[in-house]
Amino acid sequence: MIETDSDAAQRSARFQQMALPHLDAAFNLARWLCGNPNDAEDIVQDAYMRAFRYFDMFHGDNARPWLLTIVRRTWYSEWQKREMSRHSVEFDENLDDAMFEGWSEPHADPETLMMRDQDARLVHEALEQLPAEYREVMVLRELEELSYREIATIADLPVGTVMSRLARGRRRLAAALASLQARAVGG
């Protein structure tokens, strides 16, 4: 069946309506998976191109889990290619700057804001130390606020595995935070 200009315009409009509201979530997941905002932009762009190409296969009302699954798979494909070529991705120090945009409060004192920024930096650093399988479920649950079932769909895991990875990830995150805080106080 040949797609007419009208059909293509309707398809494009539907894709924009369904997919574009989840662009921030897609970027957030990609950024946490790859650790670099520039790579994350590339991953999201590739994922959205794939999503548009296969949009006719999407049937449902909530495109978010479907799109995040594509982002995750796009990242894993890229990561596997890089591992095979032994090319490492350098951490982008400017990632922290984007994390704290919009934190200003009109009546907050500077010390409170500084402490909040420091706490967020420690959490960010601790989260980066987690293995990817724990980091991804933590980001999807705690930052993107997805349900266990949605995470299971995105990560192609049983719900029980999602729950156990979250529990282990939280324990590892707490241990990493304690270590970072001890180092910050002592050092």
Side-chain angles (χ1 to χ4, degrees):
M1 184 172 168
I2 297 174
E3 187 175 56
T4 66
D5 288 343
S6 175
D7 292 341
Q10 286 178 334
R11 180 176 183 260
S12 179
R14 184 170 177 261
F15 180 79
Q16 289 177 23
Q17 179 185 16
M18 299 286 292
L20 291 184
H22 307 296
L23 193 58
D24 287 343
F27 178 76
N28 192 37
L29 176 60
R31 187 186 71 208
W32 279 107
L33 288 173
C34 63
N36 179 310
N38 295 325
D39 288 344
E41 287 175 5
D42 293 342
I43 296 297
V44 170
Q45 183 176 6
D46 288 350
Y48 267 67
M49 287 172 47
R50 290 178 187 183
F52 185 71
R53 188 177 318 129
Y54 297 105
F55 190 57
D56 293 333
M57 294 179 174
F58 173 71
H59 302 288
D61 296 330
N62 185 2
R64 187 175 183 192
W66 180 72
L67 286 164
L68 294 178
T69 300
I70 295 170
V71 168
R72 179 183 178 271
R73 288 181 181 160
T74 302
W75 176 75
Y76 273 108
S77 296
E78 181 63 27
W79 179 73
Q80 287 174 339
K81 280 191 253 179
R82 290 179 185 198
E83 282 297 308
M84 291 171 84
S85 68
R86 300 270 183 188
H87 181 278
S88 64
V89 176
E90 206 172 292
F91 175 72
D92 185 354
E93 292 295 329
N94 295 323
L95 186 58
D96 283 349
D97 296 338
M99 184 177 175
F100 300 110
E101 288 177 10
W103 271 46
S104 60
E105 297 174 18
H107 303 294
D109 67 281
E111 185 177 357
T112 301
L113 291 174
M114 185 181 77
M115 289 175 62
R116 184 183 296 164
D117 286 354
Q118 181 61 29
D119 289 346
R121 282 190 180 108
L122 286 175
V123 170
H124 183 270
E125 190 175 338
L127 196 53
E128 286 175 349
Q129 292 178 9
L130 294 180
E133 64 268 16
Y134 297 121
R135 188 172 58 238
E136 87 177 330
V137 295
M138 293 287 292
V139 167
L140 291 170
R141 179 68 181 160
E142 304 303 336
L143 300 179
E144 295 303 325
E145 299 177 348
L146 295 173
S147 70
Y148 294 148
R149 180 168 278 124
E150 289 171 321
I151 296 168
T153 300
I154 291 165
D156 195 25
L157 297 168
V159 172
T161 302
V162 169
M163 293 169 67
S164 66
R165 283 188 183 177
L166 278 168
R168 289 183 188 123
R170 288 177 178 138
R171 281 194 299 272
R172 286 181 175 218
L173 183 64
L177 273 171
S179 173
L180 290 169
Q181 287 171 333
R183 207 170 49 199
V185 170

